[in-house]
């Protein structure tokens, strides 16, 4: 059954609500609606929910509480016969909006295709944006292009609309090599540019198009410290080694995935650290007397990198014992075969 995926969480313009957007299935579909579940991470134990009727409803706004600025959100679809599984919970915190470089919260488009058209006097550009939960909503796209070897500055063309995925650049010179880039922007900010694509107008051969592929980071963070707080046992401190040099593909932040060791049928809860220079983080709402599995990965606008080796931390003592989990019994693996495809040792 179709499982929706949350693609965007951000504050409304009046800052009194939380805008949530998710994916919807293609038509035709048997989906009748969605169940949006949310809770205040630091105050609530159970989720509150609201039912949204309509297979193509793709967004909703929930009222925010002044007592909390941290929310867990997940969503599921339902038909007239059954309820589907919930998506992985997403943790949103208002502190993400205080990141000093807000343009880093805008997704970076990826040019998927570039074609010469109209006898070599125009270029048709197609792009896509990665599925990423961002604190900012894309309002427009900016097309930057210039003649290679002839122009020193890019010409800019604003394309309004958040769902636009293609545009035709007109008024170009025939048989000229052009460099094209695409960037997402809002009314005040502009995000990073895509990898450049180069095309000679009037030439339609595939080998004339040069696209630089982009991917998730190759850098893998190394966990160096993992312990509970001395004053509050519900908080877990994690420290890792950040890159000491410039890496390519670049690192925009880190993902901390955590779950209880006894919950093998429950997906990892992911915490996003949107600062490549940070080397530590505090995970709240850790239940005492329960061991947890923790792993990390770096991410950028194009995707996630490889996860580190899973580490188990026990919270039953004041000084947490960090160990690597041993190979689990075959009987336990047979009970949950879908959750042992990745390397858990």
């Amino acid at each position: 059954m179709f499982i929706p995926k949350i693609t965007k969480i951000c504050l409304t313009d009046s800052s009194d609500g939380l805008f949530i957007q998710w994916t919807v299935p293609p038509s035709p579909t048997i989906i009748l609606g969605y169940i949006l579940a949310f809770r205040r991470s630091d105050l609530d134990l159970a989720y509150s929910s609201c039912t949204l009727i309509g297979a193509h409803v793709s967004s909703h706004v929930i009222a925010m509480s002044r007592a909390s600025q941290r929310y867990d959100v997940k969503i599921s679809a339902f038909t007239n016969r059954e309820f589907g599984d919930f998506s992985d919970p997403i943790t949103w915190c208002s502190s993400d909006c205080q990141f000093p470089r807000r343009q880093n919260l805008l997704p970076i488009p990826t040019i998927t295709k570039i074609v010469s058209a109209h006898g070599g006097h125009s270029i048709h550009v197609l792009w896509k944006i990665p599925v990423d939960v961002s604190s900012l909503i894309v309002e427009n796209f900016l097309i930057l292009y210039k003649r290679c070897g002839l122009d020193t500055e890019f010409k800019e063309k604003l394309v309004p609309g958040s769902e636009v995925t293609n545009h035709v650049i007109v008024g170009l010179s025939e048989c000229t090599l052009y460099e094209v880039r695409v960037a997402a922007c809002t009314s005040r900010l502009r995000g990073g540019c895509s990898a450049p694509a180069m095309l000679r107008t009037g030439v339609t051969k595939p080998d004339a198009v040069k696209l630089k592929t982009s991917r998730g980071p190759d850098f893998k963070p190394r966990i160096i410290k993992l312990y509970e707080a001395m004053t509050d046992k519900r908080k877990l401190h994690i420290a890792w080694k950040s890159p000491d040099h410039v890496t390519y593909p670049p690192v925009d932040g880190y993902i901390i995935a955590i779950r209880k060791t006894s919950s093998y049928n429950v997906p990892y809860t992911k915490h996003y650290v949107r600062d490549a220079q940070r080397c530590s983080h505090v995970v709240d709402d850790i239940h005492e007397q329960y061991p947890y599995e923790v792993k990390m990965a770096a991410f950028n606008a194009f995707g996630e990198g490889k996860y580190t080796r899973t580490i188990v931390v026990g919270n039953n003592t004041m000084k947490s014992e960090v160990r690597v989990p041993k190979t689990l019994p075959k009987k336990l693996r047979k009970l949950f075969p879908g959750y042992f495809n990745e390397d858990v040792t």
Side-chain angles (χ1 to χ4, degrees):
M1 184 175 174
F2 174 76
I3 300 178
K5 184 177 181 180
I6 297 175
T7 58
K8 190 180 295 295
I9 302 179
C10 64
L11 287 173
T12 57
D13 294 336
S14 57
S15 298
D16 59 352
L18 204 59
F19 175 83
I20 304 170
Q21 189 178 45
W22 58 87
T23 57
V24 296
S27 299
T29 179
I30 60 174
I31 301 298
L32 296 181
Y34 304 93
I35 297 178
L36 182 63
F38 56 93
R39 70 177 180 182
R40 297 172 295 183
S41 302
D42 49 356
L43 295 178
D44 301 333
L45 293 178
Y47 280 88
S48 301
S49 63
C50 59
T51 303
L52 307 172
I53 305 299
H56 298 287
V57 177
S58 60
S59 63
H60 185 68
V61 176
I62 61 175
M64 291 185 62
S65 170
R66 294 184 179 180
S68 177
Q69 295 294 318
R70 185 183 178 92
Y71 283 81
D72 295 331
V73 184
K74 59 183 179 179
I75 190 171
S76 69
F78 66 89
T79 65
N80 57 351
R81 294 184 178 181
E82 60 177 340
F83 291 91
D85 297 330
F86 277 96
S87 62
D88 294 342
I90 298 294
T91 301
W92 178 90
C93 181
S94 61
S95 60
D96 290 347
C97 297
Q98 300 174 1
F99 190 69
R101 298 180 61 188
R102 289 172 61 89
Q103 63 268 27
N104 287 351
L105 299 179
L106 283 167
I108 299 178
T110 302
I111 297 178
T112 58
K113 190 176 182 180
I114 180 171
V115 181
S116 178
H118 301 97
H121 294 283
S122 63
I123 293 178
H124 188 196
V125 186
L126 295 90
W127 66 86
K128 65 178 182 179
I129 57 175
V131 179
D132 182 26
V133 177
S134 174
S135 295
L136 297 176
I137 300 177
V138 177
E139 299 177 0
N140 310 294
F141 289 94
L142 196 64
I143 310 295
L144 301 94
Y145 61 96
K146 71 175 181 179
R147 296 176 298 176
C148 296
L150 299 175
D151 298 335
T152 57
E153 297 182 356
F154 283 94
K155 296 181 179 180
E156 299 181 354
K157 181 71 177 293
L158 185 65
V159 182
S162 59
E163 303 295 334
V164 181
T165 57
N166 65 89
H167 181 72
V168 178
I169 308 172
V170 298
L172 304 180
S173 303
E174 187 179 358
C175 197
T176 304
L177 185 63
Y178 280 86
E179 179 181 338
V180 182
R181 304 187 182 196
V182 182
C185 59
T186 65
S187 58
R188 297 181 179 180
L189 299 173
R190 189 181 82 175
C193 293
S194 64
M198 303 177 66
L199 173 69
R200 186 176 299 277
T201 54
V203 179
T204 58
K205 294 182 180 180
D207 56 359
V209 181
K210 298 180 180 179
L211 292 176
K212 290 186 178 180
T213 58
S214 300
R215 62 185 187 276
D218 295 332
F219 174 77
K220 184 189 296 186
R222 182 169 60 89
I223 299 176
I224 55 179
K225 290 183 180 180
L226 189 61
Y227 58 93
E228 65 180 2
M230 301 294 293
T231 57
D232 189 355
K233 294 185 179 181
R234 296 178 57 190
K235 294 184 178 181
L236 188 66
H237 290 254
I238 179 172
W240 60 89
K241 184 175 178 57
S242 58
D244 54 359
H245 59 278
V246 178
T247 61
Y248 184 83
V251 175
D252 293 341
Y254 305 96
I255 301 174
I256 301 174
I258 183 172
R259 72 176 178 187
K260 295 179 181 178
T261 55
S262 59
S263 305
Y264 292 111
N265 58 337
V266 177
Y268 284 90
T269 300
K270 296 182 179 180
H271 301 266
Y272 288 84
V273 181
R274 299 180 181 274
D275 188 350
Q277 304 301 322
R278 288 186 58 179
C279 58
S280 64
H281 185 71
V282 178
V283 180
D284 299 323
D285 299 331
I286 298 296
H287 296 283
E288 298 181 37
Q289 310 301 329
Y290 281 101
Y292 279 84
E293 292 182 4
V294 182
K295 61 181 181 179
M296 285 190 63
F299 77 92
N300 57 21
F302 301 103
E304 302 177 0
K306 294 182 179 180
Y307 278 90
T308 62
R309 220 172 162 184
T310 306
I311 296 180
V312 175
V313 54
N315 283 15
N316 53 353
T317 58
M318 181 62 65
K319 184 178 179 181
S320 301
E321 178 185 358
V322 181
R323 59 184 177 85
V324 177
K326 298 180 180 179
T327 305
L328 298 171
K330 292 184 179 179
K331 293 183 179 180
L332 186 58
R333 289 178 175 269
K334 290 181 179 179
L335 291 176
F336 309 102
Y339 292 89
F340 295 101
N341 295 329
E342 57 180 293
D343 185 14
V344 297
T345 55

